[in-house]
Amino acid sequence: MSSEPNYDEIRRRVKRRYDNHAEFLSHFVAFVVTMFAIWVLWQPEGTLGTFIQLGSAGWFMGLVIHFIQYLTKIMQERAIDREIERERAWRGGFAGEPDVKRKRDRLTLSDDGEVLEVIEDDEPIYAGRRNR
């Protein structure tokens, strides 16, 4: 298992997030500007006004659906991140560390060139707890 992060995958994921934001914001801005131009500046009346009201209502429903999809994608990304962190915690690894300690980290050379294994005594898990 490679411990190096896949930068291309991370880049695609971040770009997808920003594209999601940009798509929704552009849809929202287009809706607001168009509705302002139609209803405030042009002010259609009669049968034409009725058709434009129906079109405006349909577009508004599309905007609401797009907003729900936008929120769902955000929640999905957060859920994926939480599950990844939960899995890393369960396996005992951290975000920046490989899951398995490499062998060369446990070996060193002595003064005369012999390979020695480094044995480190880690603190016990309950070292800070007092016996009662």
Side-chain angles (χ1 to χ4, degrees):
M1 181 175 182
S2 175
S3 64
E4 286 189 32
N6 186 348
Y7 291 111
D8 291 334
E9 178 62 30
I10 293 169
R11 179 179 169 80
R12 279 191 298 271
R13 206 165 150 205
V14 170
K15 186 175 181 332
R16 193 171 44 234
R17 283 183 186 174
Y18 279 98
D19 288 346
N20 184 29
H21 297 309
E23 286 175 14
F24 174 72
L25 289 176
S26 63
H27 189 178
F28 179 75
V29 168
F31 177 79
V32 169
V33 169
T34 304
M35 291 302 114
F36 177 79
I38 289 174
W39 295 109
V40 176
L41 300 178
W42 188 30
Q43 299 179 354
E45 297 176 358
T47 307
L48 179 63
T50 303
F51 285 122
I52 292 178
Q53 283 178 347
L54 290 174
S56 299
W59 192 0
F60 180 73
M61 288 173 46
L63 183 66
V64 169
I65 291 169
H66 195 167
F67 180 69
I68 291 169
Q69 290 175 341
Y70 167 76
L71 289 180
T72 304
K73 286 179 185 178
I74 290 174
M75 291 186 316
Q76 179 185 21
E77 287 291 328
R78 289 182 182 167
I80 289 169
D81 291 342
R82 274 195 316 268
E83 288 302 316
I84 289 171
E85 290 304 317
R86 185 177 297 154
E87 183 71 20
R88 283 185 182 146
W90 182 76
R91 290 183 180 196
F94 296 101
E97 291 184 20
D99 292 337
V100 179
K101 192 171 183 180
R102 294 185 305 254
K103 187 166 188 147
R104 70 173 180 213
D105 291 341
R106 297 187 310 245
L107 301 176
T108 187
L109 289 176
S110 67
D111 292 336
D112 59 353
E114 292 182 54
V115 176
L116 300 174
E117 185 172 359
V118 177
I119 301 173
E120 296 177 5
D121 292 332
D122 294 334
E123 288 186 40
I125 296 172
Y126 301 107
R129 185 180 283 181
R130 296 180 186 165
N131 293 334
R132 293 182 184 179

